[in-house]
Amino acid sequence: MRSLSYVRAGNVREAIEAFAAAGEGARYIAGGTTLYDLMKLGVERPAHLIDIASLEGADRIDTRGDVLFFGAGALMADVAEDDVIRRDYPVLAESLSKAASQQLRNMATVGGNLLQRTRCPYFRNGAIGAYPCNKREPGSGCAGIGGVDRGQAVLGASDACNAVSPGDWPVALTAMDATIEISGPAGTRSVPISDFYRLPGNTPHLEFAIEAGEIVTGISVPKTAAGRNSTYLKVRDRESYAFALASAAVALRMDGNHVRQAHIALGGVATRPWRAREAEALLNAQTIDREIALAAGRAAFADARAGEHNAFKIELGARTLADAIMIAGGKIQ
Amino acid sequence: MSDAHDSKIFEVTRRQVLEVGTIVSMSGMLPAAAQAQGSVSQPTPENGATVRVSFQINGQPGAMEIDARASLLDMLRERLGLAGAKKGCDHGQCGACTVHIDGRRVASCLTLAAKVDGRTVTTIEGIGSADALHPMQQAFIDHDALQCGYCTPGQIMAAIACVKEGHASTPEDIREYMSGNICRCGAYVGIVAAIQQAAPQIERG
């Protein structure tokens, strides 16, 4: 790890100014659970760190207005345990409580978690550099394609990258139509989460619709009755404290026994948090049973493409989504 | 390393004073290149740009200049002689380095030391003494909740926090909220039993 400077900013304006003043190699750091980890691996090489973990008022959680608002500096553990979120939006609370460990949830922020980087082992192989990675070194190639690809994506991959988007919270937020609030040198802006995550295409190193010097300041989620009939189901190699092999965020707005609107997104299987519009459409006006749930699961994976070792994710993903639909619909626990 | 703040931390135990004394004296033997970056009057064992941090640790005030890249875990072990927190994976995956900051459990290996400026840190050394073990320490002994013991300081610090968070009311809850602490010896059955024993005592206390 190369030598670096460290300053702690007190508010957003201070942070943006400090970033500009620091010059090349400046990075914001909040909880640090991704950035510091990747610095140790030689994947991230910042020269200057601007600590934004304790910006004034940045940890605000406000569930009183028309939207749910989460300050970017709120800790994952605190949002996971918020009583209103647990009761009215279990999909959001569960996506956080099933992520990482309590130690990491006490460090990581809900804003920083949006920018978590892939767990692709070829990407993380930074200091040694034995394998090419277009995310880490643009143009160097992708060892994940045709490599040991058990964990790689079956949806959204390109010829340049098949690394899985690692998060759980971003998947739940994608299902719930969240908006990301961003501040930067040019002012503030809002980005729908559907525009925040890029497909890898030919530029897998460009992952997020955020520019250098900009800070995620908050996350807004429109309030919806669908939140009450929601769940985040995560299937892993072990029961707890592991990344998803397949996960599904499902929220159902019901009209009696019929689905009026379904919100569905997938994790662990795609190169970005994956909105499953085909599955949503298929559930429209239906009553939930095992058959329709599995049909929706299959529809979500209709365009999936497997490599040598990850074909199981297509069946696992479809059944994970089917189970999540049954849970959200109150048909199984 | 030479000001009054530093010496206060080192009064905790004789063993720590000896350990830290060793580190301080070793700093005089660092390569010339490292020495050149520190001022002549105030040598620093750090190689890179440093940050000034002040903190409370195990009830004592402390302050030092620390490399901006250093982890809290390295600061505890290499600078303060508090070797209870262990370096298992150094990537936040095993839990052996668990300590409390402002009463909440964190992975000290993924916490920049610079971040503890103005904060309160508690390590395994700060929760009890040989004469008066913390109820969680006693419970780990009672239930053989360890074999090699390497993960134990992290397990105990995580377990105390687990109880205080209210996540120790059922064995299922304990397993879920202790899943960030890996035990290669597989002492999990004993660990769950120990937490069940200590939880009511800690809650009453």
Side-chain angles (χ1 to χ4, degrees), chain A residues 280-301:
Chain A
E280 292 177 357
L282 203 139
L283 292 181
N284 205 14
Q286 302 287 331
T287 49
I288 299 296
D289 61 21
R290 172 60 66 181
E291 194 180 346
I292 192 77
L294 198 51
R298 302 242 186 272
F301 285 85

Side-chain angles (χ1 to χ4, degrees), chain B residues 96-141:
Chain B
C97 69
T98 302
V99 302
H100 298 177
I101 297 180
D102 293 342
R104 298 176 72 139
R105 52 173 154 161
V106 300
S108 63
C109 75
L110 282 190
T111 301
L112 282 172
K115 278 178 168 286
V116 302
D117 186 46
R119 316 284 288 274
T120 297
V121 180
T122 308
T123 70
I124 189 75
E125 289 89 346
I127 61 165
S129 65
D131 301 332
L133 293 178
H134 187 282
M136 193 63 79
Q137 291 174 307
Q138 185 60 53
F140 268 62
I141 294 169

Side-chain angles (χ1 to χ4, degrees), chain A residues 1 4-10 15-16 18-19 25-40 44 46-55 58 72-73 107-109 111-113 115 214-216, chain B residues 68-71 109-115:
Chain A
M1 215 187 298
L4 56 81
S5 72
Y6 169 94
V7 293
R8 193 185 294 185
I16 291 169
F19 190 99
R27 290 295 300 271
Y28 294 118
I29 185 167
T33 52
T34 285
L35 183 58
Y36 194 25
D37 181 33
L38 291 175
M39 284 163 61
K40 292 183 180 191
E44 295 273 12
H48 309 282
L49 292 181
I50 295 104
D51 192 337
I52 56 170
S54 43
L55 301 186
M107 303 162 67
T109 63
N113 187 248
L115 305 172
E214 288 189 318
I215 302 177
V216 173
Chain B
R69 298 167 293 185
S71 67
C109 75
L110 282 190
T111 301
L112 282 172
K115 278 178 168 286

Side-chain angles (χ1 to χ4, degrees), chain A residues 30 36-37 40 103 240-241, chain B residues 69 91-92 109 115 167 179 181:
Chain A
Y36 194 25
D37 181 33
K40 292 183 180 191
Q103 283 94 322
S240 179
Y241 195 26
Chain B
R69 298 167 293 185
H91 287 279
C109 75
K115 278 178 168 286
H167 291 139
S179 69
N181 292 76

Side-chain angles (χ1 to χ4, degrees), chain A residues 223-311:
Chain A
K223 285 192 171 176
T224 167
R228 284 266 183 156
N229 306 309
S230 74
T231 194
Y232 185 78
L233 183 61
K234 182 176 180 183
V235 177
R236 297 166 264 190
D237 275 326
R238 59 184 176 201
E239 174 69 17
S240 179
Y241 195 26
F243 287 89
L245 290 170
S247 70
V250 175
L252 302 174
R253 189 147 67 92
M254 303 298 291
D255 190 355
N257 284 328
H258 296 84
V259 176
R260 190 147 157 215
Q261 189 186 5
H263 298 257
I264 298 175
L266 307 173
V269 292
T271 54
R272 50 174 275 180
W274 196 262
R275 189 75 183 255
R277 298 278 186 195
E278 316 76 8
E280 292 177 357
L282 203 139
L283 292 181
N284 205 14
Q286 302 287 331
T287 49
I288 299 296
D289 61 21
R290 172 60 66 181
E291 194 180 346
I292 192 77
L294 198 51
R298 302 242 186 272
F301 285 85
D303 295 332
R305 286 192 322 179
E308 190 178 348
H309 310 285
N310 60 355

